[in-house]
Amino acid sequence: MVSIEDGCGENQARFNKYACACAMVASMISIIFGYDTGVMSGAMIFIKEDLKINDTQVEVLAGILNLCALLGSLAAGRTSDYIGRRYTIVLASIIFLLGAVLMGYGPSYAILMIGRCVAGIGVGFALMIAPVYSAEISSPSSRGFLTSLPELCVSIGILLGYLSNYFFGKLTLKLGWRMMLGIAAIPSLALAFGIVKMPESPRWLVMQGRLGDAKKILLQVSNTKEEAEARFRGIKTAAGIDENCLEDIVKLPRKNRGEGVWKELLLRPSPSVRWILMAAIGIHFFEHATGIEAVVLYSPRIFKTAGITSKDKLLLATVGVGLTKATFILIATLFLDKFGRRRLLLTSTGGMVLALTVLGFSLTMVEHSEERLVWALSFSIVATYTYVAFFSIGLGPITWVYSSEIFPLKLRSQGASIGVAVNRVMNAVVSMSFISIYKAISIGGSFFMFAGISVLACGFFYFFLPETKGKSLEEMEVLFSKNTRPRNVGIETQQRSNV
């Protein structure tokens, strides 16, 4: 195994601006998805009033996007292996464009649902491909930052959605929510054209046997020729090509080009691949099982329960959720490659447990009091923002960074698609059941439930997720070998980085 550090020296620590620009453009599709998530939280208030739908229909409308995203994410893995990472992003933009147009038109609940389903398929493609593309063009020293950009863009999109709610909410009832949803078509169209000028993933090119093209791109996204050569040798080895091969084009066996990966992932996985798959599924499961979608999507209802009654103030308080999320994910992107994944992840889930417990207690007090409790209202708002802050500094961005970097090269796109599929299922489960759950066990009780799940998440991350900071993508399978223990790996990696 070729170590990237061996060939890069001190230049490895330098930041490649071209790689950053590529990751930023690829991540822009996540802004569109985030916008849709954020804007729907406020739009549902107006849609319910305009189309005269009940709470069950509201839940289905909120969650159907994620069930369709499940289909999109599963299709995206094979699609990106077939047409490439770059054109998969183009396809995602076009699909989401069609969905946004249908939602903006939305003359009836049925058409609105069709638009959400189409947009959901585009979301599934986007969520899978943006982190994978970013991971595959970045070097180990900056991979955490670049791969977390999609999640940062999701948060920026959510904030823009909340702001859109606030400003478009002042329009007429029939026009306001349609403008909120339909305006997302404009950036989708722009991105579909802009993405074509980006380079293809060098790792995908190697899987296609296009070694000459891959080497040219690696020279662009690396700081030195030596770094590019070292990365190129490691990728060739991972793809089953002799690292000393000098041909520009080689013919690879079908199994090295993404064929038969489902057998290696699900039917006959090696011990290391089984552990990798468990880690990816686990982190995606807990990202939404700990309640973030309930807060992001239903924050107006939470604040209304806490005591805020004005529609304008509800939407303004929700803007604060989006601003907090974007701010702390930005902080996380800056420190992921310095502090590592495990430290931020465990800090994040620990803080989430505390914030959810306080939120559950405050809302329970409000529900059981006949008077307006100003202190409970204040605690509810602070606990909500604190929960979003802790989620955003760890679990939010690291879920996408971690799951996109740990799979071996030929399993990466379809392995990542499984993780995204689990992510979308959990997102749908929470978004489509939250109203029913809090009506059954109270809204305070629902957040106590999320606090308990967060405790389980903290234990899972501590025992099963090794530190990946500073490792090349080609070293991950060794890191997850059956003889490696997660806690020891985290300690050893940290010690080496401090030498």
Side-chain angles (χ1 to χ4, degrees), residues 77 85 98 107 121 138 143 236 259 271 273 304 349 384 399 428 446 486 492:
R85 313 320 194 202
L98 296 174
I121 294 173
S138 58
R143 190 176 61 244
K236 285 191 291 186
E259 302 290 339
V273 169
K304 186 175 182 179
T349 47
T384 300
T399 294
S446 65
E492 290 168 7

Side-chain angles (χ1 to χ4, degrees), residues 227-417:
E227 178 187 341
E229 290 284 356
R231 292 172 69 179
F232 191 40
R233 289 194 300 270
I235 296 169
K236 285 191 291 186
T237 301
I241 302 171
D242 185 348
E243 67 175 51
N244 297 315
C245 176
L246 300 177
E247 300 292 330
D248 284 344
I249 298 177
V250 298
K251 185 172 180 61
L252 296 178
R254 291 175 65 86
K255 67 177 183 178
N256 288 354
R257 300 173 58 188
E259 302 290 339
V261 297
W262 294 116
K263 290 182 180 179
E264 293 187 50
L265 274 172
L266 302 175
L267 299 180
R268 293 191 299 273
S270 65
S272 58
V273 169
R274 187 182 299 113
W275 183 3
I276 288 171
L277 186 62
M278 181 179 67
I281 290 174
I283 197 169
H284 276 289
F285 172 85
F286 283 116
E287 184 188 21
H288 288 290
T290 49
I292 188 61
E293 197 66 15
V295 172
V296 170
L297 201 54
Y298 294 105
S299 50
R301 288 186 181 236
I302 295 170
F303 293 135
K304 186 175 182 179
T305 301
I308 300 176
T309 54
S310 165
K311 191 176 291 185
D312 266 2
K313 289 181 179 178
L314 278 175
L315 295 177
L316 199 57
T318 304
V319 169
V321 173
L323 187 60
T324 301
K325 195 171 191 295
T327 300
F328 280 88
I329 284 187
L330 176 59
I331 293 172
T333 62
L334 299 175
F335 289 102
L336 259 171
D337 290 311
K338 182 177 181 181
F339 294 122
R341 287 48 158 165
R342 274 174 60 84
R343 186 183 298 180
L344 286 178
L345 200 55
L346 294 173
T347 300
S348 170
T349 47
M352 287 163 58
V353 171
L354 179 61
L356 286 167
T357 302
V358 173
L359 180 58
F361 172 75
S362 303
L363 292 174
T364 299
M365 294 302 294
V366 169
E367 285 183 301
H368 289 83
S369 174
E370 297 180 359
E371 300 177 359
R372 187 171 186 267
L373 300 178
V374 177
W375 68 267
L377 169 61
S378 301
F379 269 49
S380 297
I381 294 173
V382 171
T384 300
Y385 289 169
T386 302
Y387 165 74
V388 172
F390 274 109
F391 173 87
S392 302
I393 207 168
L395 183 54
I398 291 173
T399 294
W400 301 96
V401 173
Y402 203 87
S403 61
S404 63
E405 68 185 0
I406 58 178
F407 284 98
L409 176 59
K410 63 180 178 180
L411 307 180
R412 185 169 299 129
S413 61
Q414 295 187 54
S417 73

Side-chain angles (χ1 to χ4, degrees), residues 200 202 205 210-218 220 248-249:
E200 183 52 83
L205 291 171
R210 296 164 57 183
L211 304 187
D213 292 337
K215 186 174 182 180
K216 289 177 184 177
I217 294 171
L218 281 169
Q220 291 179 292
D248 284 344
I249 298 177

Side-chain angles (χ1 to χ4, degrees), residues 123-151:
V123 165
F125 272 82
L127 287 175
M128 174 265 156
I129 195 60
V132 167
Y133 177 86
S134 299
E136 290 191 342
I137 65 166
S138 58
S139 61
S141 63
S142 61
R143 190 176 61 244
F145 173 75
L146 297 184
T147 313
S148 63
L149 286 177
E151 183 65 13

